[in-house]
Amino acid sequence: MTKPTDRALLGALLRAAGATTASELASAAGLADEAAVRAGVERLSQSDCVIERVGTQGLRLVEAGVGCWADYLETPGGPPVRVYRSIGSTQDAARALAAHDGATVVADEQTKGRGRLGRRWRARAGAGVLMSRVVHGDRPHLPLLAAMAAADAVEPRLGRAVSLKWPNDVHVDGRKLAGVLVESPTPGVSVVGIGFNVATLKDAPAEVRAVATSLADLGVVAHRLAMIEALLAAIDRRLAQDSAATVEAWRQRCINLDRPGRFAVDGRTVVGHVVDLDPDAGLLVRTESGLIAHLPAATTSCLP
C-alpha cells in the first residue's frame, strides 16, 4: 500500500460482510468516488490482496495477503511492526524488539514455535494467526489479560462467549481455539504470544481434531489480518482497564474452577477438585486424600 486511502479501503473491505458496491466502499473509506475505489483496488491487488467481483453485488475481499499486513498495521510514529512469511518463532523475533513498547511481530508460518513448559508448536502457512507483542511495565496478571483479550477478539465473531482453560487457553465446545504464552526476557518487559487456529483442521491428525478447533470449523469466516487488528485493539483495551476487573471476567469464563481435574506438576500427577484459582500463584486443589495442594502456575499443566 502506498497511500493512506488504501489502508482505509482495505479496512472497509475487511469489515464488510460479503460483497460491497464501489459506492458503499467509497463512503465507508472516505474516498471521493468509485474511480478512486477502482484505483485503490488495483494497488491493493499489487500488495498481496485478492479482491474479486461478485456479479452485480460488488467487490469482496478473498484474502488480505501478508504482503500488505505491515503497511496496514503500522502507524506513523507508532511502535514497529514486523511481518514474516516464515519464521522460527514470533516470540524470539519480538524479543529483539523488546526496547519498543507495543512492538508487534506476526507471521504467516512458524516452524519453531513453543508453548508453555517447552512444548513445541508448529503452525503451517496460512492456517492461523501467529502474533507476539512487546508490553512494558509491571503488568499484573498479564497471561490472564492476554487470554481475555483473545476472548474479546473472537466472541463478537462467534456470537457467543468462549471458555478459558487454566491458565490461558481459549476453548470452544471443549476444544482449544487459541493459546497464549507470556515470557519476560528482562525485568519490566514481557512478550505476549497469541496463536489462533483460523483455517479448517479437517486434514489434521485425528488426535489433533479431538482436542482442537478453528474459526473455520466453527463456521466463522475471518480474515487473519482482521483478527490481528482485533487482537491488538483488545490488548490495548485490557491494558487500560483495572486488573481486578479482568481477573473477575477471566474467572467467570474459566472452566476449571470448582471442578475435578488431573494435573501434571513437577513430574507427578495430582488428581483432585479445584477449590480456587490464584491468578499468579496457581491452583488450589483438594486431593483425593482430602488435603489442599498448591500447584504453581509455572510448572503445572492440565491433563485430559
Side-chain angles (χ1 to χ4, degrees), residues 103-215:
T104 301
V105 174
V106 292
D108 186 38
E109 178 185 34
Q110 186 170 246
T111 60
K112 296 180 181 178
R114 58 184 177 274
R116 291 185 69 246
L117 306 178
R119 296 187 182 95
R120 189 167 180 267
W121 178 29
R122 175 164 183 162
R124 62 182 174 85
V129 166
L130 310 169
M131 186 190 81
S132 294
R133 176 98 182 271
V134 176
V135 176
H136 284 190
D138 182 17
R139 302 287 187 172
H141 319 311
L142 191 53
L144 277 61
L145 181 151
M148 278 304 307
D152 293 342
V154 76
E155 284 177 346
R157 289 160 173 80
L158 281 175
R160 57 185 169 120
V162 302
S163 299
L164 299 178
K165 183 178 180 182
W166 184 89
N168 45 28
D169 286 346
V170 178
H171 274 232
V172 179
D173 299 333
R175 291 180 171 86
K176 182 176 178 178
L177 174 64
V180 172
L181 175 66
V182 177
E183 299 175 317
S184 297
T186 58
V189 176
S190 299
V191 178
V192 178
I194 299 178
F196 255 100
N197 298 324
V198 175
T200 180
L201 299 177
K202 65 180 182 181
D203 295 326
E207 59 268 23
V208 173
R209 289 184 278 111
V211 297
T213 189
S214 71
L215 291 177

Side-chain angles (χ1 to χ4, degrees), residues 195-248:
F196 255 100
N197 298 324
V198 175
T200 180
L201 299 177
K202 65 180 182 181
D203 295 326
E207 59 268 23
V208 173
R209 289 184 278 111
V211 297
T213 189
S214 71
L215 291 177
D217 292 332
L218 292 167
V220 176
V221 177
H223 294 287
R224 289 182 296 158
L225 180 56
M227 286 301 306
I228 294 168
E229 183 181 28
L231 277 170
L232 291 173
I235 291 172
D236 286 340
R237 286 194 300 270
R238 286 291 173 182
L239 285 172
Q241 290 178 352
D242 177 65
S243 175
T246 294
V247 171
E248 180 57 30

Side-chain angles (χ1 to χ4, degrees), residues 2-68:
T2 59
K3 296 185 176 182
T5 52
D6 293 347
R7 186 182 186 277
L9 177 58
L10 179 53
L13 286 164
L14 285 169
R15 290 186 289 273
T20 309
T21 67
S23 176
E24 291 169 334
L25 286 170
S27 176
L31 300 181
D33 50 30
E34 294 183 20
V37 170
R38 290 192 292 270
V41 166
E42 178 62 26
R43 288 190 295 271
L44 289 175
S45 297
Q46 295 171 2
S47 299
D48 220 11
C49 291
V50 179
I51 303 169
E52 70 173 6
R53 178 168 292 280
V54 184
T56 60
Q57 300 174 43
L59 300 167
R60 183 177 74 88
L61 180 66
V62 177
E63 182 178 4
V66 295
C68 70

